[in-house]
Amino acid sequence: MPLKIWAYDSLMIAVASNFNLTAEKLAEKFTSKTKIPIIISSASTSNLYAQIINGAPYDIFLAADIERPKKLEEGKYTVSETRRTYAVGALTLWSSDELFENDECFSVIKNGSFKKLAIANPEIAPYGHAAKEFLKKIGQWKSIQKKVVFGENISQTYLFAVTGNATFALISRAQAVVEQPIKPTCTWNVPHHMHSKIEQQAVILSQTRKLKQAKLFLDFLSTPAAISIIMNSGYLVTN
């Protein structure tokens, strides 16, 4: 099918980078049930937000936070009463360095005996903000400033650790549960109480010409089939 026709018929969904793989699984399931094709565009939440307010032709935005969907709602960029939470994220401390194994990650971060720690930029990335809160909670944020490297988003953050440019990375739980070519030697799941809730919200954008299909997709996210995919990907869901 020619790309123009495919794009015209498809739902265009902007997806936060941490949720990209999960969104692809959801899209496949949704399309198999409804025959409505989906095109996914993935980037950091802040970049997608900027694209949307500058006219990018998305129908739905799956953000990694509450802030950007709320701002879009306040700016009249969204369809009224469509903003909702579709997933709750979590952090995992991850390393493939052979010097560390099993659950040693936390004790090493706690005592500061490592070379580099990658986190997403806390100024623009929700997972980076949560990572900063966690590091403050354990009393290490100030002392390890020279050891922290910032990724533009959570995908780049993970890449720093995979390539060995960082000893550790604070990544999304979803990245940690996915089968990857590089196996971790050490992982530790950060307890939810050690950072603020990473609530991820979806919204339908007011520019959509496929409102009926977009509403079908948002409703689909609350079905048992979708919830199963979301939870198996390392996220929680709200009641």
Side-chain angles (χ1 to χ4, degrees):
M1 182 180 292
L3 181 58
K4 274 190 176 180
I5 297 175
W6 177 262
Y8 179 82
D9 290 339
S10 301
L11 273 176
M12 305 286 286
I13 304 182
V15 178
S17 56
N18 74 283
F19 201 72
N20 185 41
L21 292 176
T22 308
E24 289 177 355
K25 294 176 185 176
L26 290 166
E28 183 179 357
K29 177 69 76 173
F30 176 77
T31 300
S32 72
K33 287 179 174 291
T34 65
K35 309 306 177 188
I36 299 170
I38 287 176
I39 294 176
I40 291 172
S41 181
S42 179
S44 69
T45 291
S46 59
N47 283 344
L48 292 171
Y49 171 81
Q51 290 174 29
I52 290 165
I53 63 175
N54 282 292
Y58 301 124
D59 300 297
I60 297 172
F61 182 29
L62 299 184
D65 65 5
I66 293 176
E67 179 188 355
R68 261 58 72 103
K70 189 175 181 181
K71 281 185 177 180
L72 290 172
E73 185 179 61
E74 291 168 349
K76 309 299 183 185
Y77 289 95
T78 69
V79 175
S80 178
E81 298 182 354
T82 61
R83 182 167 61 91
R84 66 187 68 175
T85 298
Y86 66 90
V88 177
L91 283 174
T92 293
L93 189 57
W94 191 98
S95 178
S96 61
D97 193 312
E98 293 181 355
L99 291 175
F100 311 105
E101 59 183 15
N102 301 326
D103 59 354
E104 289 179 334
C105 293
F106 176 65
S107 60
V108 174
I109 293 295
K110 190 75 170 65
N111 63 35
S113 56
F114 61 91
K115 291 182 179 179
K116 294 290 180 182
L117 167 66
I119 70 170
N121 186 340
E123 299 301 318
I124 61 173
Y127 281 82
H129 180 72
K132 180 178 177 179
E133 288 182 329
F134 160 66
L135 292 168
K136 282 185 172 182
K137 188 87 171 179
I138 63 173
Q140 284 287 35
W141 177 247
K142 288 184 178 179
S143 62
I144 63 171
Q145 286 298 296
K146 292 183 179 179
K147 297 182 178 184
V148 176
V149 293
F150 298 109
E152 180 182 335
N153 53 47
I154 203 69
S155 297
Q156 188 180 64
T157 303
Y158 173 69
L159 189 61
F160 283 144
V162 167
T163 57
N165 288 304
T167 320
F168 294 96
L170 278 162
I171 62 174
S172 74
R173 188 76 47 82
Q175 290 169 303
V177 301
V178 172
E179 189 73 21
Q180 298 284 4
I182 302 295
K183 302 291 184 184
T185 57
C186 175
T187 61
W188 185 74
N189 291 332
V190 179
H192 290 277
H193 70 269
M194 299 189 83
H195 57 77
S196 57
K197 193 175 183 181
I198 309 173
E199 199 166 348
Q200 304 195 186
Q201 289 199 332
V203 71
I204 297 175
L205 301 170
S206 55
Q207 66 188 3
T208 184
R209 295 183 179 181
K210 310 180 189 76
L211 182 57
K212 181 179 178 181
Q213 297 94 321
K215 284 183 174 179
L216 281 174
F217 183 80
L218 242 60
D219 289 342
F220 166 73
L221 294 180
S222 298
T223 64
I227 288 172
S228 177
I229 291 171
I230 292 169
M231 294 189 71
N232 287 337
S233 297
Y235 297 93
L236 299 174
V237 294
T238 57
N239 295 328

